[in-house]
Amino acid sequence: MTRVSDELLRAALADAADTVRPEALQPLPARPRRRRLRPVPLGGLAVAAAATIAVVLLVAPWSQHRRDGASPAFSLAAYMGIDYVLDGPWPTGGQWVRVRKADTGQQIATLPAPRGSSGFRDSADSGDNRTFVLTTADPQACSVRFYRLILGADGRPKEGLTELRRATLRQQMGEGPDQLAVSRGTRRIAFAGKECGGASARGVIMVVDPATGEQRVTRLPPRALAGSLRWAPNGRELVFETMGDYLERTLQTLDTATGRISPVPLGIGDGMLCGAAFDKDGTHIVALVRNGRQNRVVWYSTVTKTITRQVPLPPSAPDAATMFEVPGDRIVAVIGDRVHVVSGTKVTTGRVGEDSMPMP
């Protein structure tokens, strides 16, 4: 990531990386309604939500995780129906994770990291809104371990952390955001990192079946690292971004059954990719593209391999920080201090931190 807005986003993610997974989210009601926005913390924070939710970024008055002591500039939150978040000092590793109520920040439970571990590094929702996977990493042993956490309806853990021992990987941590992705039902775990070795170690994506321990490794081109992993609804394909020294940020898909990597041409030109995910049917990849002050959402068909729709968003400052999610039928982009919700070709825009905003 070499552009200014990328660096701002990377800094925000380094303070607290977001792990809301699109496959866990359902569409908002079709009828326009006004709801009061609920502030919730950003944090590698996995979010457990009720049946109907959409994701927006909001200020979190009770979240105080920045190293300078100030509140985070942004927070990833659910627009309606959110119950709990997992809160920890992501992604540098911390010796605890807390379960909090999403709307008030009330602490429900605290779980320590496994004894002797490097602390928690990533977390991801598996799609049922109650089951999460967390990681620890040991750089000296070049290993990544995975743990399952299941919450009850009251937000309290049903049991302690359960290590998924067959899923342990011999691998180094990568450097991009969202290195962990978990398919529905925790059937498959994808992790982007690097091979064990020195400075010349190649970037890889490992896919593991936690029940059997079966692993598939995909090596990336030299100097390339993967990040922003998102599963397709079918649990077979991944969409991800590649980055690295002197490399432009590009979008790719991985067929995990064959190991085939395919580029996703979005006609960006001099523009910049700012997030992508499969839609709820898996027939399109939806991406946010920015070019100076201009912003647009692009739909790329995985069947025809063409761009089938583009929706412009209001202009913004060229270096505005950006976050992007695809919850159900809605698209949510936060650019600077503006929240844009796209439904079909309709765009509804509000300001971050406003008490309420109309939704499509």
Side-chain angles (χ1 to χ4, degrees), residues 73-125:
F74 299 107
S75 303
L76 190 60
Y79 186 69
M80 52 187 292
I82 277 293
D83 293 329
Y84 309 105
V85 294
L86 300 187
D87 180 14
W90 322 93
T92 54
Q95 295 302 317
W96 46 261
V97 63
R98 295 184 177 121
V99 181
R100 294 183 183 269
K101 288 194 66 175
D103 53 354
T104 66
Q106 177 187 349
Q107 182 174 320
I108 303 298
T110 300
L111 292 94
R115 182 174 299 178
S117 76
S118 62
F120 296 116
R121 305 299 296 263
D122 304 275
S123 70
D125 176 13

Side-chain angles (χ1 to χ4, degrees), residues 19 21 56-57 115 153 167 172 251 292 306 350:
T19 59
R21 293 292 177 242
V56 296
L57 281 169
R115 182 174 299 178
Q172 298 183 70
L251 193 64
T306 60

Side-chain angles (χ1 to χ4, degrees), residues 39-283:
V40 193
L42 171 65
L45 308 183
V47 177
T52 308
I53 54 181
V55 179
V56 296
L57 281 169
L58 305 169
V59 174
W62 55 266
S63 183
Q64 299 285 335
H65 299 306
R66 288 181 53 140
R67 286 184 290 273
D68 59 8
S71 295
F74 299 107
S75 303
L76 190 60
Y79 186 69
M80 52 187 292
I82 277 293
D83 293 329
Y84 309 105
V85 294
L86 300 187
D87 180 14
W90 322 93
T92 54
Q95 295 302 317
W96 46 261
V97 63
R98 295 184 177 121
V99 181
R100 294 183 183 269
K101 288 194 66 175
D103 53 354
T104 66
Q106 177 187 349
Q107 182 174 320
I108 303 298
T110 300
L111 292 94
R115 182 174 299 178
S117 76
S118 62
F120 296 116
R121 305 299 296 263
D122 304 275
S123 70
D125 176 13
S126 70
D128 67 358
N129 306 322
R130 289 293 183 273
T131 305
F132 306 95
V133 172
L134 302 93
T135 67
T136 66
D138 186 339
Q140 293 183 341
C142 193
S143 67
V144 177
R145 296 178 179 273
F146 300 88
Y147 302 82
R148 183 176 59 231
L149 173 64
I150 301 177
L151 302 181
D154 61 356
R156 298 187 179 280
K158 288 188 174 181
E159 56 188 30
L161 289 170
T162 301
E163 183 176 356
L164 304 174
R165 295 184 180 278
R166 294 183 176 180
T168 299
L169 299 179
R170 180 166 170 74
Q171 185 176 328
Q172 298 183 70
M173 295 284 293
E175 298 177 7
D178 294 335
Q179 295 174 250
L180 173 67
V182 184
S183 69
R184 292 176 179 175
T186 324
R187 293 183 179 90
R188 308 180 84 192
I189 296 172
F191 192 81
K194 296 188 293 185
E195 295 175 326
C196 296
S200 61
R202 293 275 286 269
V204 295
I205 297 176
M206 296 285 288
V207 176
V208 57
D209 181 335
T212 66
E214 179 186 1
Q215 299 180 5
R216 290 176 177 266
V217 58
T218 300
R219 302 181 79 217
L220 302 176
R223 298 186 290 115
L225 296 174
S228 301
L229 272 63
R230 297 288 189 273
W231 280 104
N234 63 13
R236 169 170 170 164
E237 296 172 291
L238 286 164
V239 63
F240 65 97
E241 298 173 18
T242 54
M243 61 207 78
D245 294 339
Y246 311 110
L247 296 178
E248 288 295 324
R249 191 172 173 182
T250 59
L251 193 64
Q252 316 275 349
T253 59
L254 169 64
D255 184 330
T256 61
T258 65
R260 181 180 179 182
I261 295 178
S262 302
V264 179
L266 297 175
I268 292 177
D270 293 331
M272 178 173 53
L273 174 66
C274 292
F278 283 95
D279 66 4
K280 69 169 187 174
D281 298 320
T283 59

